[in-house]
Amino acid sequence: MTLDNIPLSYVHPPERVDSLYNRHLSHQQDHVPVSMEDNAYTTGITKPTDNFRKRNSSLKRQDMDGYDSSDVDLFDSKNSKFRQKKEEQRRASRKRDWYIVLALTFWAAYIRLYKISHPPSVVFDEVHFGGFATKYIKTRFFMDVHPPLAKMLIALVGKLAGLDGFDFKDIGKDYLEENVPYVIMRVFCGITGLLVVPIAYLTVRGAGHSIAAGLVAAFMVCYENGLIANNRLILLDPPLLFFTAATALMWINFHNQKRRPFQFWWYTWLALTGFGLGLTVSCKWVGLFTIATIGTSTVKGLWELWGNTRVPTSVFLRHFGARAVCLIVLPIAVYLLMFRIHFHILPNSGEGDGFMTPEFQQTLDGHASVNAPIDIAFGSKVFIRHVATRGGYLHSHPHNYPAGSKQQQVTLYPHRDDNNWWTIAKVDNSNVTEIEYIKNGDVVTFKHANSFKRLHSHDIRPSMTDIEYHNEVRVEIIGGEKSDPLSTERLRTIHTKFRLIHVMSQCALFSHSIKLPEWGFEQQEVTCIKGGKIAKTVWYIESTENPLLPPDSERVTYKKLGFLRKFLELNKVMWDTNSGLTSSHPYDSRPESWPLLRRGINFWSKEKLHLYLLGNPLIYWSTFISVLVCVMLKGIFVILEKRGIQKDFGGFDLLTIRLPNRKRLLAAALFIFSVIYVYRIFMPITYGEPWTQSLCEKAKWRSTWDFDCAQYHHDIESYKINKPLYVEGIDKVKDALNSFIGNRQQAAEVAGGVNIVSDGVELVDESASNDIAEATATQ
């Protein structure tokens, strides 16, 4: 028997180690796309139909007993040389990729950090996220709709750099006057953003694509004008993008370990993926889309495992358990940890208190603690608090409504104040000489302690303006504390939840999130309403005073919340607040405008220089087309697969699959240079540099792009910007050459632009229907 009779699979074993650096041994080794989906599955148990994939394990060494030993030795020698050559190629590929990654990182750093100190004033949402950094440093509690990780990282960098007290209050506020270390804070965000460039290359390569495809992806990320403008500012998006991209890379690396399940690197990449998911969603809730993407891939993989009859149940459960721990438990633990750190950093009472329940507020240092008598009787002075909106206390002050009843205003006020005191009196206004508890159904009146006016209601319709309703309201107990049975029978501090029903009109005292205009000091509106949602007509008494109560009477305070209840409450408030952000401003950008780059976002404007976040049109449009083509091709290939035809595709590699390596790299270079050319056209609004009206108008490729060209100078010289000496020297050489050859060149014009904008938002709550009456206080 000769070596030629040995099965081909012995000489060239078809084992594919699907890591970043393993490729075919053809002359197109590092440029032939290799799809991840071609890999044998993670169990290491192959199907009978997968002969083209498996290790040929059916041909075992003992089956070769009939072979002459010299033939076997010859086979081992050939196989050893083959594996040695393969390992050498793997090392060379790894080395080449890391050189490329290093070069991409340095180049991306130049593109992202170029003149990052400009503009030297507050830009767009730096108002919010820079301000949050200051609040962390002051350790005063605040509320934001985003999770805390990215904000804490920015605050940490600011603290280390010397940030102290700058409020980031207004767009355009100068940094230099107060020596704000804004450059270091921006550099941190810029670094997290620029690292997405090499990660993009590694991800594409890890997914089995060519070097050319990896370079195209990396340079598209590098020269995307919108990302550049975004990554150079103190925003949450750069850390978010970094963690998102890193998580995707970890998942690719885990997927490439599917032939080596339950080994060290298999567990490592899986755990790092879960860790990355936790960090991503801890920056912004938009990270949930990353969780959904990896979750879908996980479900698909587990479904294929479940459908493989050769996979034992015990093995499947082991796969399921590993994924559940790493991709569910670990991200949740990371998310919880970020809030634990958040609460630890912000132990003191702050401006965010008003969003939280009193129980939450009691956990903050500096907040007035409640320790009041539990019994409430006629003659008691009380603080009445609204349950549903967290708007605060029933409040009145010596200012009248400008229309309607024109009587004293009644509002909700979020802070403890002497104008929150109300006295519960009897209807006949008789003096109270002994303790008489207020029970369910009792009719009472409320007197404002400072102004001595009664809680009153008017129907504000014109025909009814002069008709006054009775002052009395009926107390209707809604519920009480389980540990305090008396709280369901009579008013008890904190424990009893009740409604106040107007005796004659049967309307209920009501409040919602609508705030009054300036004449009402932007305090929360209070009305008397019929048919309103019951939840928004519920109140409770937080504090009380009554001289008739004995000094040793039972007292009550709020229950102090533990970490989990604080965590759940804060996340609910974040969700509710985020859901209420329904208003928009003229310069915002909505998702439907993104695929075709219908418009951008105005960031900053000052001294004829502007920042406008606009993506690179060539990247946006080519990407959108690629996604559509990808979806269509995937549908076609699914149909072909049903007919037994296996096909793969990979974006750029599909278009250049018939090209030799050099031509493929040339095609990649041509596309990259096109991307850079378009990037340079929009550099002025990306970096906030000088531009001219004429060049600005030429760059308005779409009529919906609303950057204002009229705000630029007509020529660059009008900006009076001193050029560096070496630039002036180069210009003189150019002028001499132009003069010599008689061909004058136009000076390069560079700049950028945008209008000042703020994203003020207003929380709008639904207002109840039916008859709404003004709540007033009157004699």
Side-chain angles (χ1 to χ4, degrees):
M1 181 177 179
T2 65
L3 183 63
D4 295 332
N5 298 121
I6 296 177
L8 184 62
S9 59
Y10 261 72
V11 182
H12 300 288
E15 174 188 358
R16 287 176 49 191
V17 182
D18 293 290
S19 67
L20 176 63
Y21 307 105
N22 296 333
R23 298 293 180 265
H24 293 294
L25 296 179
S26 65
H27 64 285
Q28 297 190 20
Q29 162 198 344
D30 284 301
H31 305 291
V32 175
V34 180
S35 172
M36 288 196 311
E37 300 301 325
D38 287 342
N39 303 336
Y41 220 91
T42 49
T43 59
I45 301 176
T46 54
K47 305 175 185 178
T49 57
D50 291 343
N51 291 329
F52 67 100
R53 299 180 185 176
K54 59 186 179 181
R55 297 174 177 264
N56 201 9
S57 57
S58 59
L59 293 176
K60 299 182 179 179
R61 189 63 179 263
Q62 57 265 31
D63 296 333
M64 301 178 62
D65 291 340
Y67 293 131
D68 183 80
S69 61
S70 60
D71 291 333
V72 176
D73 292 340
L74 180 60
F75 162 73
D76 288 341
S77 176
K78 291 287 187 179
N79 193 44
S80 176
K81 290 181 179 179
F82 171 82
R83 291 184 179 278
Q84 183 178 359
K85 184 177 180 181
K86 189 175 181 179
E87 183 60 31
E88 290 175 356
Q89 300 236 357
R90 182 186 296 119
R91 285 196 295 267
S93 178
R94 181 187 296 115
K95 187 176 182 180
R96 179 167 55 249
D97 275 334
W98 283 114
Y99 279 144
I100 293 174
V101 164
L102 188 63
L104 286 172
T105 303
F106 278 110
W107 188 248
Y110 169 71
I111 298 298
R112 289 291 196 275
L113 305 182
Y114 170 74
K115 291 186 178 180
I116 201 168
S117 60
H118 180 76
S121 56
V122 178
V123 177
F124 194 57
D125 272 355
E126 287 186 338
V127 168
H128 302 295
F129 306 121
F132 292 147
T134 299
K135 292 172 183 176
Y136 272 118
I137 293 172
K138 292 182 177 179
T139 70
R140 299 181 65 84
F141 180 80
F142 65 90
M143 210 292 295
D144 180 42
V145 296
H146 300 299
L149 175 58
K151 298 191 293 285
M152 291 193 299
L153 291 174
I154 293 172
L156 175 62
V157 173
K159 178 66 175 179
L160 295 175
L163 177 66
D164 184 21
F166 187 78
D167 58 14
F168 295 86
K169 186 176 181 180
D170 300 304
I171 293 177
K173 187 171 183 179
D174 193 84
Y175 285 134
L176 300 179
E177 289 182 1
E178 301 189 38
N179 296 319
V180 181
Y182 74 101
V183 175
I184 296 177
M185 298 172 72
R186 284 183 181 175
V187 166
F188 165 73
C189 293
I191 290 174
T192 57
L194 71 87
L195 289 176
V196 178
V197 175
I199 290 175
Y201 174 82
L202 291 173
T203 302
V204 172
R205 289 288 282 146
H209 300 287
S210 65
I211 287 178
L215 289 173
V216 167
F219 278 104
M220 287 175 73
V221 174
C222 182
Y223 283 101
E224 210 293 291
N225 296 69
L227 283 179
I228 296 171
N230 176 280
N231 293 169
R232 294 163 48 82
L233 303 175
I234 305 171
L235 304 176
L236 306 187
D237 300 290
L240 170 70
L241 292 171
F242 167 72
F243 290 128
T244 302
T247 302
L249 177 59
M250 299 304 103
W251 182 246
I252 290 290
N253 289 342
F254 165 73
H255 216 286
N256 289 337
Q257 297 293 319
K258 53 173 35 179
R259 286 187 62 88
R260 291 175 293 279
F262 311 121
Q263 297 185 18
F264 174 78
W265 284 110
W266 187 89
Y267 278 116
T268 298
W269 295 126
L270 182 62
L272 287 175
T273 300
F275 188 66
L277 289 175
L279 296 177
T280 300
V281 78
S282 295
C283 290
K284 273 188 174 183
W285 277 349
V286 73
L288 291 170
F289 287 104
T290 306
I291 291 179
T293 302
I294 290 179
T296 302
S297 178
T298 302
V299 170
K300 176 179 179 293
L302 288 174
W303 179 257
E304 292 175 353
L305 277 172
W306 182 254
N308 188 345
T309 57
R310 295 176 60 85
V311 178
T313 303
S314 60
V315 174
F316 173 81
L317 291 176
R318 193 176 176 189
H319 277 280
F320 180 86
R323 287 164 173 79
V325 170
C326 292
L327 302 182
I328 299 178
V329 176
L330 182 57
I332 292 175
V334 171
Y335 188 71
L336 287 168
L337 177 62
M338 296 303 112
F339 279 89
R340 186 80 179 190
I341 298 172
H342 175 74
F343 292 144
H344 181 75
I345 297 175
L346 302 175
N348 298 309
S349 177
E351 63 184 33
D353 291 17
F355 290 91
M356 314 310 296
T357 63
E359 291 87 349
F360 190 106
Q361 294 174 8
Q362 296 300 305
T363 66
L364 301 173
D365 296 336
H367 195 280
S369 61
V370 173
N371 185 17
I374 194 170
D375 289 316
I376 300 167
F378 283 103
S380 294
K381 289 174 59 178
V382 294
F383 269 32
I384 305 174
R385 189 158 193 156
H386 195 232
V387 172
T389 62
R390 305 184 184 92
Y393 305 93
L394 189 66
H395 174 92
S396 187
H397 42 233
H399 297 276
N400 296 342
Y401 289 104
S405 66
K406 297 185 179 179
Q407 294 184 358
Q408 185 165 306
Q409 299 170 8
V410 174
T411 63
L412 283 192
Y413 186 60
H415 307 292
R416 294 180 67 88
D417 185 271
D418 285 342
N419 279 327
N420 299 341
W421 284 114
W422 298 83
T423 301
I424 306 177
K426 288 191 172 184
V427 174
D428 58 8
N429 204 28
S430 59
N431 290 328
V432 179
T433 58
E434 60 182 14
I435 295 295
E436 185 177 345
Y437 299 123
I438 300 171
K439 300 181 294 296
N440 184 34
D442 282 352
V443 178
V444 301
T445 62
F446 284 86
K447 292 182 179 179
H448 189 242
N450 281 354
S451 63
F452 304 105
K453 294 187 176 183
R454 297 175 184 267
L455 182 64
H456 189 71
S457 180
H458 268 290
D459 192 313
I460 63 173
R461 292 173 295 182
S463 61
M464 303 287 287
T465 300
D466 295 329
I467 300 178
E468 295 187 4
Y469 288 121
H470 290 215
N471 300 326
E472 298 86 12
V473 293
R474 185 181 76 251
V475 176
E476 182 181 287
I477 293 178
I478 299 297
E481 185 73 23
K482 291 182 179 180
S483 61
D484 181 11
L486 288 176
S487 64
T488 60
E489 301 173 5
R490 56 185 171 90
L491 291 188
R492 302 267 279 180
T493 305
I494 295 178
H495 291 172
T496 302
K497 304 298 186 293
F498 61 90
R499 302 172 75 203
L500 296 176
I501 309 298
H502 195 282
V503 170
M504 186 172 182
S505 68
Q506 297 301 304
C507 63
L509 197 67
F510 170 94
S511 185
H512 50 180
S513 297
I514 299 297
K515 293 186 177 181
L516 298 172
E518 290 185 6
W519 54 258
F521 306 98
E522 297 184 350
Q523 294 175 13
Q524 200 162 305
E525 184 181 46
V526 175
T527 64
C528 193
I529 188 170
K530 294 179 182 178
K533 290 186 175 180
I534 292 180
K536 295 188 177 180
T537 62
V538 179
W539 308 79
Y540 71 95
I541 293 171
E542 181 182 86
S543 298
T544 182
E545 295 178 1
N546 193 328
L548 296 178
L549 292 174
D552 59 346
S553 61
E554 183 183 357
R555 306 183 77 83
V556 68
T557 187
Y558 287 111
K559 294 180 179 178
K560 200 165 186 178
L561 300 183
F563 165 71
L564 284 180
R565 290 192 61 187
K566 288 180 64 178
F567 166 81
L568 293 174
E569 179 179 329
L570 179 55
N571 277 263
K572 184 180 185 302
V573 171
M574 290 163 57
W575 178 267
D576 293 341
T577 306
N578 207 9
S579 300
L581 300 179
T582 56
S583 61
S584 60
H585 57 77
Y587 303 106
D588 66 359
S589 177
R590 295 290 176 175
E592 61 269 16
S593 69
W594 299 342
L596 295 178
L597 201 61
R598 186 175 180 274
R599 65 180 303 176
I601 303 176
N602 289 298
F603 267 15
W604 173 87
S605 176
K606 194 173 184 180
E607 299 175 352
K608 300 289 186 178
L609 300 175
H610 311 280
L611 278 177
Y612 185 93
L613 188 145
L614 182 72
N616 187 308
L618 178 58
I619 294 175
Y620 265 72
W621 296 338
S622 62
T623 301
F624 179 65
I625 294 172
S626 298
V627 170
L628 294 180
V629 172
C630 176
V631 171
M632 290 187 292
L633 288 177
K634 185 64 175 178
I636 294 172
F637 291 154
V638 167
I639 296 174
L640 292 176
E641 186 177 355
K642 297 298 182 182
R643 299 181 61 87
I645 304 174
Q646 299 285 340
K647 292 289 182 181
D648 294 317
F649 67 99
F652 177 82
D653 286 327
L654 178 67
L655 299 176
T656 60
I657 196 168
R658 295 187 179 277
L659 295 178
N661 292 339
R662 290 184 178 179
K663 290 186 177 181
R664 174 179 291 169
L665 288 172
L666 179 61
L670 289 175
F671 182 77
I672 291 170
F673 284 130
S674 300
V675 167
I676 295 174
Y677 175 77
V678 175
Y679 147 82
R680 292 186 62 82
I681 292 176
F682 297 97
M683 274 181 63
I685 56 176
T686 301
Y687 294 97
E689 293 186 332
W691 214 6
T692 65
Q693 292 184 12
S694 60
L695 288 180
C696 176
E697 291 293 346
K698 289 179 182 178
K700 273 200 171 184
W701 295 356
R702 297 201 63 179
S703 60
T704 53
W705 293 352
D706 54 358
F707 48 84
D708 189 2
C709 295
Q711 296 193 42
Y712 291 104
H713 287 301
H714 289 282
D715 52 70
I716 292 294
E717 287 72 19
S718 300
Y719 288 95
K720 299 179 181 179
I721 297 176
N722 295 328
K723 297 181 181 179
L725 292 176
Y726 74 90
V727 174
E728 292 183 353
I730 293 174
D731 288 344
K732 290 180 180 180
V733 173
K734 286 183 178 180
D735 291 340
L737 290 174
N738 290 338
S739 176
F740 178 76
I741 62 177
N743 180 24
R744 300 184 62 186
Q745 296 180 350
Q746 296 182 352
E749 300 178 350
V750 187
V754 83
N755 300 317
I756 296 180
V757 88
S758 93
D759 63 344
V761 294
E762 184 181 52
L763 298 179
V764 179
D765 194 7
E766 75 280 359
S767 61
S769 59
N770 301 330
D771 297 334
I772 301 180
E774 211 172 57
T776 64
T778 185
Q779 294 284 9

